[in-house]
Amino acid sequence: MDSSGKPVLYSYFRSSCSWRVRIALALKGIAYDQEPVNLLKDGGQQFSTEFQAVNPMQQVPALKIDGILLSQSLAIIQYLEETRPNPSLLPQDLKKRAQARMISDHIVSGIQPLQNLSMLKRVGGEKKLEWAQHYITCGFQALERILQHTAGHYCIGDEVSMADLCLVPQVYNAERFKVDLTPYPTVTRINKALLELEAFQVSHPCRQPDTPAELRA
């Protein structure tokens, strides 16, 4: 917490993991302050001694809230869900709840880590784009099939869930890496519907305090 008692989110405008948490905070109406961490500047501010004290994994997001410091986007979102349950981000029906967690994990563990900044740095050079496209495409092929069984208006029926908070930032990444989304009509339809919601708009990378002027909405 800062001196005003507000939670503090350590975030980078274009980080999909940070965006998930920004959506959750917006949906739940939680006012917070942002402490931007530029993943590119100065060789990556996440590697600074100051930030390592916040998150030893040297990743965003991290959230200071209720006297504790949390990292890992799904752990943060589930803490917000358990301490501030309205509006709910997990379905009441236990089977649907499991499906929301399954889709979230599919994206958070199965797609995003394979195309994140640290991985692409290791891949290096001209192969970066091809590498990112390959893993996002593999993930989206599976995701499209899963969503054909679970989706209504959104990922799980007609209520926004944790799965949706993971989907939208991943589609944004797919677009950044020039992935052809034509084969994934369910993914693109849900993404379009979610981007019409205020919480997804105010949390968007083009509307953050650290968004560069040329990328602002």
Side-chain angles (χ1 to χ4, degrees):
M1 296 273 199
D2 68 4
S3 55
S4 68
K6 271 191 204 165
V8 177
L9 178 67
Y10 295 83
S11 173
Y12 178 56
F13 80 102
R14 206 153 57 182
S15 154
S16 58
C17 306
S18 299
W19 190 4
R20 296 169 198 149
V21 174
R22 295 195 303 257
I23 300 166
L25 290 163
L27 282 167
K28 290 184 176 289
I30 301 166
Y32 64 98
D33 289 326
Q34 272 201 61
E35 189 72 50
V37 179
N38 192 314
L39 303 186
L40 302 175
K41 193 178 174 187
D42 309 323
Q45 294 174 346
Q46 70 275 29
F47 302 122
S48 69
T49 309
E50 295 82 13
F51 189 69
Q52 282 186 53
V54 173
N55 183 8
M57 279 291 283
Q58 305 173 338
Q59 296 170 335
V60 290
L63 184 69
K64 258 187 208 173
I65 189 168
D66 301 340
I68 60 168
L69 194 47
L70 293 170
S71 57
Q72 296 299 335
S73 62
L74 291 194
I76 295 169
I77 290 165
Q78 294 191 70
Y79 177 77
L80 296 176
E81 179 68 5
E82 287 162 358
T83 57
R84 296 151 176 86
N86 294 312
S88 180
L89 296 177
L90 286 168
Q92 291 307 300
D93 179 89
L94 293 182
K95 290 175 184 173
K96 288 182 178 176
R97 182 172 286 222
Q99 289 173 328
R101 288 184 167 131
M102 172 183 76
I103 291 167
S104 300
D105 278 339
H106 179 74
I107 295 167
V108 169
S109 303
I111 304 176
Q112 194 277 334
L114 292 163
Q115 53 88 111
N116 71 6
L117 182 64
S118 59
M119 177 66 80
L120 294 180
K121 271 186 183 169
R122 296 289 295 174
V123 173
E126 294 171 5
K127 289 186 176 173
K128 282 183 188 178
L129 186 65
E130 183 193 338
W131 177 283
Q133 287 174 341
H134 171 76
Y135 284 105
I136 294 171
T137 298
C138 290
F140 274 22
Q141 284 170 354
L143 193 58
E144 178 68 21
R145 291 175 67 178
I146 292 165
L147 289 171
Q148 285 169 4
H149 296 285
T150 64
H153 202 49
Y154 306 123
C155 285
I156 307 292
D158 296 328
E159 299 296 322
V160 174
S161 74
M162 185 166 74
D164 298 299
L165 278 58
C166 298
L167 180 82
V168 167
Q170 190 56 56
V171 175
Y172 175 84
N173 283 354
E175 290 170 338
R176 271 184 64 212
F177 291 118
K178 301 180 173 60
V179 172
D180 177 15
L181 296 173
T182 316
Y184 318 115
T186 315
V187 170
T188 49
R189 173 183 64 75
I190 295 168
N191 182 66
K192 187 168 181 250
L194 289 163
L195 284 173
E196 290 171 8
L197 303 178
E198 187 186 2
F200 288 79
Q201 292 173 5
V202 298
S203 58
H204 194 282
C206 70
R207 295 185 182 88
Q208 298 316 300
D210 57 330
T211 307
E214 68 274 15
L215 298 176
R216 288 197 161 277

